[in-house]
Every structure is written in C-alpha cells, then in structure tokens.
Amino acid sequence: MAALGVGLGVSGLLTYNAGLFARDLAGAIGLSRTAFGAAFFGSTLAMAAAMPLVGRLVDRFGPRAIAAFGAAMLSVGFLALSQVRSVTLYIIIVVLIGPLTAGSTPVPYTRAVSAAFDRARGGLALGLTQVGIGLAAAIVPPVIGLVIARQGWQHGFLALAMLAALGLLPALLGLPGRSPHSGSPGDEDHAAIRASSLFRLQYAAFCTMAFAFAGMLSHFVPMLREAGMPVERAGALAGLIGGSVIVTRILVGWLADRIEPAWLGCASCLVCA
C-alpha cells in the first residue's frame, strides 16, 4: 500500500509527466520553455519549504490524514491545470501544487514503514516502498502521452487528476491514523538535529541531487518533442526511466543494508554524473 501511495503522489505523477504537456501548452496559452521551467522550479522550492512542516505534522497527527490531504490537493491541482487559460495562471497553479501536495510525497509512507520494522528499516523495506514511484514513472507517461495525442492536453490533466484521486485509497486504508511511535520529537530535539553536521551534509547532498534530477526529468520530454518526436513516443521513452528506477530502488535498498550507505551514495552520484 505504501508503494502504491507514493506512486500516485506528486513524486510519481507530476515530476515524470509535466514535460508531456509543455509543447501543447505552448500552442494553447503561449507557454515558453522558460516559463515552464520557472513554474516547475518554483513548485520544487515551495515544496521543499513545506517539507519540514509536513514532517512535523506527520509526527503529531499521524501519516494518514497528511497523506490523504496531499492526495486530494494533487487531484484538485490537476483539475485546475486542465482549465488553465493563461501563462500566469499556469505558473500560479503549478507553484501552489508544490506546498499543498507535499503530504503526498513519500514522507508519510516511509515514516509508517520505518516505524513498522525493527531491522533493516533503512534499506530494503524503504527501497520497496520507493518502487511505487518507478512503477508510476514507467506506466503513466506512455498512457498520458496517448491520451494527449488522441484527446488533447486537457484530457491528459483530467486523467492525472483521476489517478491522483486514487491515491486517497492507500492513504486512508493503508496508513495508521496516528504515528506508530509513541510521542514525537520536541523543539529541542529538532534543534539538535538541525545543528548536527550530519544533517547539514545530508541536506546539502539532497539539494544538489534534487536540482540535477529535477532539471533533467522536467525537460527530457520537451527536448524530445522539439526534436520532432510525437508525444506518445516521447512518453514511451520517458517510461524507460521509470523502469530503471524500479530496479535501482530495490538494488540500492538491498545494498544499503549490507554496505556503508555513504559510499553507496557516492557511487550512485558518480554513475549519474
């Protein structure tokens, strides 16, 4: 259920599919590549700013309510994008999707999974949870590409809205209402964590990787379409990224239980570079 939830969240549906709409929106509302990139970048920053709040809300109220709210807001966001008529409105909606749907990210699901395992909770179990994103990235872009090619970009956003609404099911049925761990970190605990060198190093690493991957993923399909590739073919190629994510999430999760995670992270970054 956790894998299904993260796959139907913003990480699985927006990141890997936003580029499918860029060329059609350019013709429909005059969306430039610069405006498209700025909207996605703004959404990413707004979501990043909201994530600490999401984490604390999950600690206080449990993962179920937070994940369900994020899924509902993601569906509403895609519905709003299907009716967009101007570049300004498109940018505003996409930027708002970032913080409002932050609850549909893997945070509530991985919180529940890590609390349910006493052993290897940082490795294989979490890797299997992240497989949901790979499945969504492999299956959804080719389907949405076909919908756009045959019925138009508005129906593409409507299809994504329906998929996001399905994300309510794993959130409501698969997550606990309250945090499985009794109690939650206090302000002093959070301050101590933020002040640690390990936290700052991980923060810097995650930000650097996020900038690189978000930039590549969002512009991958638009570059293919500018080269003359039909949207359905571009969507199919984008789906190959999802297939690789499925394999690597499981492999990296399994390896993280057996070798030093820091060296594993360094190797992954070097391969990507």
Side-chain angles (χ1 to χ4, degrees):
M1 293 294 282
L4 179 62
V6 298
L8 294 175
V10 64
S11 301
L13 296 183
L14 179 66
T15 304
Y16 292 92
N17 293 281
L20 292 168
F21 299 87
R23 186 166 184 140
D24 295 277
L25 288 171
I29 64 174
L31 182 70
S32 66
R33 282 287 298 278
T34 301
F36 168 76
F40 195 85
F41 181 68
S43 182
T44 303
L45 289 183
M47 181 181 295
M51 291 309 296
L53 176 61
V54 169
R56 300 192 71 167
L57 290 175
V58 169
D59 284 338
R60 176 168 296 184
F61 300 107
R64 181 191 299 161
I66 307 306
F69 178 81
M73 289 298 97
L74 183 59
S75 182
V76 170
F78 284 133
L79 285 174
L81 286 174
S82 72
Q83 304 300 316
V84 71
R85 294 293 182 269
S86 71
V87 174
T88 301
L89 186 58
Y90 172 84
I91 294 175
I92 292 174
I93 294 173
V94 173
V95 171
L96 287 177
I97 283 176
L100 292 177
T101 67
S104 70
T105 61
V107 171
Y109 296 95
T110 54
R111 176 71 169 85
V113 169
S114 63
F117 287 85
D118 294 326
R119 297 176 58 192
R121 62 184 177 185
L124 184 57
L126 293 177
L128 291 173
T129 301
Q130 300 288 335
V131 165
I133 296 178
L135 287 172
I139 297 172
V140 177
V143 174
I144 298 301
L146 286 173
V147 172
I148 294 173
R150 297 179 180 179
Q151 299 184 351
W153 60 271
Q154 295 94 336
H155 285 84
F157 279 127
L158 291 176
L160 287 175
M162 289 187 289
L163 289 173
L166 289 176
L168 286 167
L169 296 178
L172 295 175
L173 301 179
L175 292 178
R178 299 290 294 180
S179 177
H181 284 161
S182 59
S184 60
D187 291 336
E188 293 183 359
D189 296 320
H190 283 290
I193 293 172
R194 290 194 298 269
S196 68
S197 59
L198 177 60
F199 173 83
R200 293 175 179 177
L201 286 172
Q202 288 189 339
Y203 188 86
F206 292 152
C207 286
T208 304
M209 290 186 285
F211 278 122
F213 297 147
M216 188 276 289
L217 291 173
S218 60
H219 291 282
F220 179 68
V221 171
M223 288 190 293
L224 293 178
R225 296 201 66 188
E226 285 184 0
M229 185 175 291
V231 63
E232 61 270 28
R233 176 60 178 161
L237 284 179
L240 294 178
I241 299 176
S244 67
V245 169
I246 296 172
V247 176
T248 55
R249 298 283 175 156
I250 298 175
L251 178 61
V252 170
W254 181 81
L255 289 173
D257 289 331
R258 289 159 174 80
I259 65 175
E260 175 59 42
W263 291 111
L264 183 60
C266 289
S268 298
C269 289
L270 287 174
V271 170
C272 292

